[in-house]
Amino acid sequence: MTETRNNQPLGGNEMPRFAGLATMMRLPHASNAKDLDVCFVGVPFDIGTSNRPGARLGPRQIRAESCLIRPYNMATRAAPFDSFQVADIGDVAINTFDLQKSISIIEHAYDEILRQNCVPLTMGGDHTITLPILRSIYKRHGPVGIVHVDAHADTNDHMFGEPIAHGTPFRRAIEEGLIEPTRMVQIGLRASGYAADDFDWPRSQGVRVVQAEACWYQSLKPLMAEVRDQLGAGPVYLTFDIDGLDPAYAPGTGTPEIGGLSVHQGLEIIRGCRGLELVGADLVEVAPAYDTSGNTSLLAANLLFEMLCVLPNVEYRS
Ligand code: MN
Ligand code: MN
């Protein structure tokens, strides 16, 4: 191989893994997305949460727990840092006292990232943030297909009378035409609701809803083959709410639900996105305060690495 000029994660033989600045994967920090193919970006926003708060601390803790991740994917043979110029561009400067202003700030921050032809991999933050991200992506790519992992549909019409909160982003996104509903799948939905309509509304829009029970005890590789057929060609956004996984694996989140997906299934979903035209992805709802071991953030950091490993044109070593 020729020597690469791309940024590389700082190796454990150059600086102890527990030392140095806590950027995502110990990558260099960049002040913006200029000249980057892919960026990691944090959105420390949790004023759209309905139950336990704390996802504002997700980006910082995910970065801290990412320090052990090495650059090469032993399972899939992906070598993303040979393929892409990647950096951590820090956090979006949201206004934590004002939800509406923050929504606008996030949208404009992503406009700047996308203007640089850079693919954003986002560390949330609660799921509200996906709405302004999709608004920005729409301006660049038009309506997108969606792979959505979550315990919840997040298609409420309102929460406490508010149209924008962490349980409404996909209702608003479908209404605004940001998503092609027939190119959307929701995986891992479960638990108690207000009425059957909670999951039937997205179905009525053409979304494929795969409830958690349909995933129990099995590999999700066959499902993902169907998802790739369903979504086909065209831009796709991957949005991964950590509460889609079982709270046994990911307790550090605000609205945990029992009976969720396993870590292995989460990996199969992300690895199964290989071949889709991904234009961005996020990992949301990590709330470290409810997770004394750090495992939820460790998991989130690794899932973000796996997302990087399935972006279009990533190089796979034979
Ligand atoms: Mn969600
Ligand atoms: Mn959720």
Side-chain angles (χ1 to χ4, degrees):
M1 294 297 295
T2 52
E3 198 174 330
T4 178
R5 283 167 295 169
N6 288 340
N7 294 336
Q8 295 291 320
L10 187 59
N13 298 319
E14 300 165 77
M15 170 68 79
R17 291 210 167 268
F18 46 85
L21 297 176
T23 57
M24 181 62 183
M25 285 194 70
R26 300 172 19 120
L27 284 161
H29 171 257
S31 55
N32 59 56
K34 190 172 183 302
D35 299 325
L36 299 178
D37 301 309
V38 184
C39 69
F40 289 107
V41 54
V43 184
F45 171 105
D46 68 3
I47 55 176
T49 50
S50 55
N51 190 38
R52 307 191 298 202
R56 69 181 61 184
L57 302 174
R60 180 159 288 198
Q61 193 67 25
I62 291 169
R63 287 186 176 102
E65 295 293 344
S66 76
C67 68
L68 193 57
I69 305 177
R70 304 160 192 91
Y72 179 68
N73 191 318
M74 299 302 289
T76 69
R77 296 181 173 268
F81 300 99
D82 292 353
S83 316
F84 307 127
Q85 180 69 310
V86 192
D88 182 337
I89 65 165
D91 292 333
V92 176
I94 59 129
N95 179 342
T96 199
F97 304 106
D98 192 315
L99 184 144
Q100 290 292 347
K101 279 184 183 164
S102 293
I103 293 301
S104 172
I105 290 167
I106 295 165
E107 180 179 342
H108 290 124
Y110 282 74
D111 289 348
E112 285 304 303
I113 292 169
L114 296 170
R115 204 164 55 81
Q116 303 290 344
N117 276 321
C118 177
V119 174
L121 296 180
T122 300
M123 302 172 267
D126 76 47
H127 224 154
T128 314
I129 67 172
T130 304
L131 178 64
I133 293 171
L134 289 175
R135 283 174 175 168
S136 181
I137 283 183
Y138 175 80
K139 285 181 275 185
R140 184 129 194 120
H141 298 287
V144 291
I146 298 275
V147 177
H148 174 202
V149 182
D150 207 318
H152 313 97
D154 291 353
T155 53
N156 292 295
D157 195 5
H158 291 86
M159 297 184 88
F160 225 81
E162 296 297 325
I164 297 182
H166 79 151
T168 68
F170 301 104
R171 182 80 163 228
R172 296 289 91 77
I174 288 172
E175 288 172 350
E176 294 177 20
L178 312 178
I179 291 171
E180 288 185 79
T182 57
R183 294 181 64 234
M184 178 168 180
V185 61
Q186 298 182 295
I187 305 170
L189 279 57
R190 62 188 186 271
S192 51
Y194 287 103
D197 190 58
D198 291 2
F199 296 167
D200 287 345
W201 186 84
R203 288 184 174 116
S204 76
Q205 303 299 304
V207 175
R208 180 171 184 189
V209 175
V210 183
Q211 292 182 222
E213 288 78 4
C215 303
W216 287 357
Y217 317 116
Q218 48 188 307
S219 166
L220 297 188
K221 281 182 183 173
L223 170 67
M224 292 311 295
E226 293 175 14
V227 167
R228 290 192 297 275
D229 282 345
Q230 178 197 348
L231 272 59
V236 173
Y237 188 81
L238 168 61
T239 181
F240 199 120
D241 183 329
I242 199 70
D243 72 29
L245 303 187
D246 194 86
Y249 306 107
T253 195
T255 46
E257 309 284 2
I258 65 163
L261 305 180
S262 69
V263 172
H264 310 110
Q265 290 173 322
L267 289 169
E268 286 176 333
I269 291 169
I270 297 175
R271 291 175 184 172
C273 288
R274 181 179 173 187
L276 293 173
E277 193 186 313
L278 288 175
V279 296
D282 62 48
L283 191 298
V284 297
E285 299 283 358
V286 172
Y290 314 106
D291 177 11
T292 53
S293 70
N295 274 358
T296 309
S297 298
L298 176 69
L299 178 53
N302 278 276
L303 294 177
L304 282 155
F305 171 62
E306 293 285 339
M307 292 173 185
L308 176 67
C309 289
V310 293
L311 293 180
N313 303 316
V314 72
E315 184 181 326
Y316 287 85
R317 299 273 177 78
S318 55

